[in-house]
Amino acid sequence: MNIKITKYYYGDIPEEKSAGSTYQSAQDATTWPLWEIFIRSKQGLDHKHVGSLHAADAAMAMENARDVYTRRQEGVSIWVVESKYITASNPEEAGELYEPAVDKIYRHPTFYILPDEVNYM
Amino acid sequence: MSIQNFEQHFQAQIDNEIKIEPKDWMPEAYRKTNIRQISQHAHSEIVGMLPEGNWISRAPSLKRKAILIAKAQDEAGHGLYLYSAAETLGMSRDEMIADLHSGKAKYSSIFNYPTLSWADVGAIGWLVDGAAIMNQVMLTRTSYGPYARAMVRICKEESFHQRQGFESLLVLSKGTAEQKAMCQDAINRWWWPSLMMFGPKDTESTNSDQSMKWKIKRKTNDELRQNFVDMIAEQIKVLGMKLPDNKLNWNEQRKHYDFGEINWDEFWAVVKGNGPCNKQRLAARRKAHEEGRWVREAAMAYTEKKKSKSSLEAA
């Protein structure tokens, strides 16, 4: 397989054109963990995932989330969850997980044809 | 499924406008291209704070200062959205930052130009952010989900950046002879570098098909550049200023503005690290990173201490 990578130079300059120097950064002793951020945009609505950020602890994650995701009054409530605690479904198992629902059309109201006299049921 | 089947399925998803999400199968080159593009975009946002930061302490009024601080804070946020999007592809934040600081990763060359007068801040908002928006609006429809979502958020915030820039120049354009001259001078210096932001001509960008096919990018460099020229050539009339290009002319047949040739030698010189401020910008980033190290370590040490304390209490 021989795929050529496109070279667009706005914020995307190919490696062979780069002018690497000898700078070596000492690794940080510790990396702040990653947190997922959920925001309730107004009373009455669910919290919705808005993105993620790094923080040393929950209090800092909360403060950073406030600064990053609610600068324009986008929220009235914030949840922060350390990313490692989220279990995600695997896209490769989508068949087993979701297909059983596909042929059960009788679960939808439109499956039932009723006489016109029965309005708004 | 064989690898070819995976690739066919992947391409079919893209052809049907179904977004690719982090845990989906993707070709290695798709992953790499996105990591490079998104992280370099993130670096651009972060380094982009430096030329403007130069003027925060010297803004002409409290209002302009507050606006500039808000804008710089937005850029930091944009950098963060983008780093997060790139991280979903499997590269750590630390690695990306190390690549920026070593010079391996790039950022938009535009930020290697100096901000010499107050009018530059307005010109950056109007021209540089204006050019960035052309690219970013297109990228809200890019095929990688986290990148597209970050772009939607960024575009919402970015339009204030361009408007404040234009408004700031508008004030100067109605001011004293000196202010008008300052406005024109800033436009003269920022115009060509802004056009360079769209990258080399399509004819020079020989491998460009794949990104279009994968819908990472949906318009070519030249298309975007033309859209930008058409927009700015009209807006500058409101300012009563001139763009520094005597070949700029409305072409009735094409229904577009014709414009002069970009100095490509300058373009490549800046990309390769020989622009006016390349060294200064990287030095500033490294310094901030190194001098902030103890803060990052102290914060984590404090967290560890709290954790061990609470587990002791629980025991």
Side-chain angles (χ1 to χ4, degrees), chain B residues 24-60:
Chain B
D24 293 341
W25 186 90
M26 62 187 83
E28 241 353 83
Y30 178 85
R31 182 184 300 277
K32 276 193 183 152
T33 304
N34 264 302
I35 288 179
R36 193 181 61 223
Q37 186 170 327
I38 302 169
S39 66
Q40 291 184 357
H41 198 158
H43 299 326
S44 302
E45 297 283 353
I46 299 300
V47 177
M49 289 190 281
L50 297 171
E52 292 176 316
N54 191 29
W55 285 92
I56 287 178
S57 60
R58 290 180 277 160

Side-chain angles (χ1 to χ4, degrees), chain A residues 69-85:
Chain A
Y69 293 110
T70 66
R71 283 200 303 284
R72 291 181 175 82
Q73 298 178 292
E74 292 96 334
V76 295
S77 168
I78 302 173
W79 286 352
V80 301
V81 183
E82 211 179 319
S83 308
K84 66 178 180 189
Y85 294 118

Side-chain angles (χ1 to χ4, degrees), chain A residues 1 3-15 17-34 49-57 59-60 67-69 71-72 74 82 84 88-92, chain B residues 7 23-24 29 33 36-37 40-41 44 73-74 80-81 84 87 93-94 101-104 106-108 132 135-136 153 157 160 197 199-200 205 207-208 210-212 214 217 221 267-268 271-272 286 290 293 296-297 299-300 303 306:
Chain A
M1 192 176 67
I3 294 177
K4 282 189 173 172
I5 298 179
T6 307
K7 290 161 185 173
Y8 288 108
Y9 297 83
Y10 171 75
D12 180 31
I13 288 152
E15 274 142 40
K17 299 280 187 189
S18 66
S21 66
T22 53
Y23 173 79
Q24 268 293 324
S25 160
Q27 272 297 306
D28 279 8
T30 44
T31 299
W32 290 353
L34 190 66
H49 184 242
V50 292
S52 51
L53 49 80
H54 288 273
D57 59 20
M60 190 195 281
D67 288 346
V68 177
Y69 293 110
R71 283 200 303 284
R72 291 181 175 82
E74 292 96 334
E82 211 179 319
K84 66 178 180 189
S89 62
N90 187 342
E92 280 157 38
Chain B
E7 275 179 18
K23 295 185 82 177
D24 293 341
T33 304
R36 193 181 61 223
Q37 186 170 327
Q40 291 184 357
H41 198 158
S44 302
Q73 196 189 14
D74 276 354
L80 181 133
Y81 306 153
S84 300
E87 278 175 282
R93 180 88 55 101
D94 290 346
H101 292 176
S102 76
K104 185 181 172 213
K106 289 291 160 190
Y107 52 88
S108 185
N135 196 52
Q136 287 165 340
R153 198 176 291 282
E157 300 181 348
F160 130 64
M197 285 175 72
S205 194
N207 303 324
S208 65
Q210 189 65 72
S211 266
M212 297 288 277
W214 279 336
K217 205 172 159 121
N221 297 352
F267 172 83
W268 286 113
V271 165
K272 286 174 183 162
R286 290 170 186 165
E290 295 304 335
R293 179 182 308 282
R296 296 192 295 277
E297 289 177 354
M300 213 52 221
T303 298
K306 272 192 304 182

Side-chain angles (χ1 to χ4, degrees), chain B residues 152-260:
Chain B
V152 170
R153 198 176 291 282
I154 287 171
C155 283
K156 272 187 202 161
E157 300 181 348
E158 198 79 43
S159 107
F160 130 64
H161 298 183
Q162 198 191 10
R163 289 173 69 101
Q164 67 80 33
F166 188 83
E167 192 234 25
S168 167
L169 291 184
L170 193 60
V171 170
L172 291 176
S173 75
K174 290 175 178 163
T176 62
E178 208 180 356
Q179 286 171 321
K180 285 179 187 169
M182 190 164 89
C183 179
Q184 182 62 60
D185 171 65
I187 294 168
N188 291 349
R189 280 182 292 107
W190 288 95
W191 172 245
W192 290 107
S194 300
L195 288 190
M196 292 178 199
M197 285 175 72
F198 297 97
K201 287 186 188 178
D202 294 347
T203 47
E204 307 286 314
S205 194
T206 46
N207 303 324
S208 65
D209 299 346
Q210 189 65 72
S211 266
M212 297 288 277
K213 195 175 164 217
W214 279 336
K215 296 184 183 170
I216 294 173
K217 205 172 159 121
R218 287 170 178 264
K219 285 185 180 179
T220 69
N221 297 352
D222 286 337
E223 280 177 82
L224 288 167
R225 186 163 22 235
Q226 182 69 61
N227 292 347
F228 178 69
V229 171
D230 291 347
M231 178 178 81
I232 298 297
E234 288 300 318
Q235 291 173 350
I236 195 154
K237 294 177 186 167
V238 182
L239 291 178
M241 297 282 146
K242 278 213 165 69
L243 290 173
D245 179 359
N246 51 24
K247 291 197 176 132
L248 187 83
N249 257 316
W250 177 250
N251 183 327
E252 185 57 35
Q253 217 169 10
R254 290 200 311 130
K255 299 281 177 206
H256 285 297
Y257 277 90
D258 291 335
F259 55 99

